[in-house]
Amino acid sequence: MSTETLTPPRSGSASAGNYRWLQLALGIICMVAVANVQYSWTLFVPEIQKTYGWSRASIQTAFTIFVIIQTWVTPVVGVGIDRFGPRPIAMLGGTAAGLAWIMNSFASSLTGFYIGAAIGGIGASCINACAVNNALKWFPDRRGLAVGLSAAGYGSGTIITTLPIANMIQSSGISTTFLTFGIIQGLVIVAAGLFLRAPRKDQVSYSTKLVQSRRDYTLGEAIRTPVLWVLMVMFTCTITGGLMAVAQLSLIAQDFGVKDIHVNVYFFSMAALPFALMLDRFMNGLSRPFFGWVSDTIGREKTMFIAFSLESIGILALATFGSNPWLFVILSGVVFLAWGEVYSLFGAITGDAFGTKHAGKIYGILFLSKGFAALFVPVGNLIMEATGSWATVLYIVASLDFIAATSALFILRPLLLRHHAKDATTNAAMASVGKPAH
């Protein structure tokens, strides 16, 4: 790419619209490359247990560490993005994402895997924050779709690596697989991250269908609003079930007795677990831009109600009918279809409510909810071992999804109406005295 390509074109120029799509594409490439760190972990867990004889709960603690680090460093990452721009943060994330799996390739103790998980969490945090924030800032008029496409890269990025990783684990072992894919994902992210840029204020236009704040809230101002706290509770409720499925799907399939049962689809046959994993990655990726696009049209809160209700129903059905291999594949796909959109909807609504100047920091605080939800992953194993069934765990997370669905319409929506009305009043008052509202 030339120097001219790296420089954002002027607002209104013929290339300005194309340039923002280039920025979106670069963010998606980074998200696809870092997705393995989270979504391919479930492929390694049974082999790690077989190799070292550690308990499931102790191995899955690495996943919990990854998610907690990923979420709890996001506010710090957000500060870095708002101050220095996305490029250096993305390059740091690529280095960490590659190093995490390289360290896993040499690990022979739980401590080694825990350290790798922590470094991977830093890498995933950097890339997620860069891609989402860049999408928020470049596409205020199509915020749901843009954030959804970025999130889709993370949610479905492993659809092209699931089988290669699974095959390499069987043929070459976990160490070689970690090393090979660690190097690949690190190099891809660093290369794409070199060209990421944030927009200028005059290069963006707002939605004509949705109410969006023209005021850029500071982090302190956002924290003092009830809107942010309600969003955090809802985010925690909805993301719990998805994290449980991501981390435990192999174990759930094994305990339901369907892991190795082949499902025949006319021209090919595949074991239920890898078939479900491939379908889940596709549905997880499709969900994010689809529901993001829907939310750009009918509003975030209504879309949340529809998606979260579907998630609740899907989890209940999986708990009831998951021992059937066909239904296990189909229902796990429904669960991921209704879960993946949380990243596009919550990211988009953050920009709508609080503006984009400090979006890195504000979304970073909201993203802490994922860390709270991650605490339930090893707890889910303990509940399953105590009850002898996944049913109780799945019923709990389905209830949390239903709480979030009803909260979207009956708590969040009225709060946002008052929030935007207060914004309009403040902006009018500041305009009357000739001062900008931030």
Side-chain angles (χ1 to χ4, degrees):
M1 291 188 180
S2 66
T3 304
E4 288 76 12
T5 303
L6 296 179
T7 303
R10 292 290 175 183
S11 177
S13 69
S15 59
N18 293 334
Y19 187 83
R20 70 174 187 167
W21 288 103
L22 171 62
Q23 287 295 308
L24 183 63
L26 291 169
I28 292 171
I29 290 171
C30 291
M31 291 286 254
V32 168
V34 82
N36 278 325
V37 183
Q38 175 171 329
Y39 287 100
S40 292
W41 171 253
T42 187
L43 298 173
F44 290 91
V45 172
E47 296 303 318
I48 293 173
Q49 185 179 25
K50 184 189 301 184
T51 301
Y52 297 104
W54 302 323
S55 69
R56 289 179 181 178
S58 62
I59 297 170
Q60 290 294 38
T61 298
F63 184 84
T64 301
I65 291 171
F66 162 80
V67 177
I68 289 175
I69 295 296
Q70 179 194 21
T71 53
W72 284 91
V73 303
T74 298
V76 179
V77 171
V79 172
I81 294 171
D82 289 341
R83 183 171 181 180
F84 302 111
R87 182 174 63 170
I89 307 302
M91 294 179 68
L92 171 63
T95 302
L99 180 61
W101 273 27
I102 291 172
M103 291 194 65
N104 282 349
S105 72
F106 295 102
S108 58
S109 65
L110 283 170
T111 301
F113 284 106
Y114 294 166
I115 294 173
I119 295 174
I122 294 172
S125 176
C126 290
I127 300 308
N128 268 279
C130 284
V132 170
N133 278 280
N134 236 28
L136 284 174
K137 292 175 179 178
W138 277 103
F139 289 86
D141 56 329
R142 297 182 181 181
R143 193 167 275 154
L145 175 63
V147 175
L149 287 170
S150 299
Y154 192 68
S156 63
T158 56
I159 196 170
I160 59 177
T161 56
T162 294
L163 284 180
I165 287 177
N167 290 337
M168 185 175 284
I169 289 174
Q170 294 303 315
S171 63
S172 304
I174 57 177
S175 295
T176 300
T177 307
F178 272 130
L179 179 62
T180 301
F181 282 88
I183 293 172
I184 293 171
Q185 65 202 24
L187 290 176
V188 169
I189 295 168
V190 170
L194 276 169
F195 303 105
L196 286 176
R197 296 289 186 275
R200 298 186 304 268
K201 192 76 171 179
D202 65 343
Q203 289 183 291
V204 298
S205 57
Y206 290 89
S207 171
T208 58
K209 297 179 181 179
L210 304 178
V211 179
Q212 296 177 317
S213 177
R214 300 300 193 270
R215 174 187 176 193
D216 289 314
Y217 280 71
T218 66
L219 177 59
E221 290 172 333
I223 288 176
R224 291 193 291 272
T225 67
V227 171
L228 183 61
W229 294 102
V230 170
L231 287 173
M232 289 187 72
V233 172
M234 290 174 57
F235 203 174
T236 302
C237 288
T238 54
I239 211 166
T240 298
L243 286 179
M244 190 76 67
V246 168
Q248 314 282 28
L249 194 64
S250 292
L251 305 179
I252 292 173
Q254 181 175 306
D255 293 336
F256 276 168
V258 300
K259 178 180 178 181
D260 299 315
I261 297 179
H262 276 245
V263 175
N264 295 306
V265 187
Y266 297 111
F267 54 88
F268 78 96
S269 175
M270 185 180 295
L273 177 61
F275 191 4
L277 288 172
M278 290 185 65
L279 178 62
D280 294 348
R281 299 305 180 261
F282 174 76
M283 300 301 278
N284 196 8
L286 174 66
S287 169
R288 302 176 187 211
F290 172 72
F291 281 109
W293 169 75
V294 170
S295 74
D296 285 338
T297 305
I298 69 172
R300 317 292 183 209
E301 308 94 290
K302 293 178 183 178
T303 308
M304 286 178 169
F305 176 78
I306 295 170
F308 300 164
S309 297
L310 180 61
E311 170 80 354
S312 180
I313 294 170
I315 290 176
L316 288 174
L318 183 64
T320 306
F321 305 110
S323 57
N324 179 295
W326 258 109
L327 291 177
F328 176 83
V329 171
I330 294 170
L331 291 173
S332 66
V334 171
V335 169
F336 276 85
L337 174 67
W339 177 70
E341 87 296 325
V342 295
Y343 298 102
S344 56
L345 295 184
F346 283 100
I349 205 169
T350 301
D352 291 346
F354 304 114
T356 59
K357 184 177 181 180
H358 304 287
K361 296 184 282 289
I362 297 172
Y363 185 68
I365 294 296
L366 176 61
F367 203 69
L368 293 178
S369 305
K370 186 176 180 180
F372 299 136
L375 298 175
F376 290 98
V377 173
V379 172
N381 278 103
L382 297 176
I383 294 175
M384 183 272 164
E385 291 169 0
T387 61
S389 169
W390 285 102
T392 302
V393 177
L394 295 175
Y395 291 151
I396 291 172
V397 296
S399 300
L400 293 175
D401 281 313
F402 181 73
I403 290 171
T406 54
S407 297
L409 280 186
F410 301 109
I411 299 177
L412 179 61
R413 184 171 175 79
L415 275 178
L416 282 172
L417 290 173
R418 291 195 293 271
H419 176 83
H420 288 302
K422 183 178 178 181
D423 268 358
T425 302
T426 301
N427 289 343
M430 297 297 285
S432 67
V433 296
K435 295 181 179 179
H438 295 281

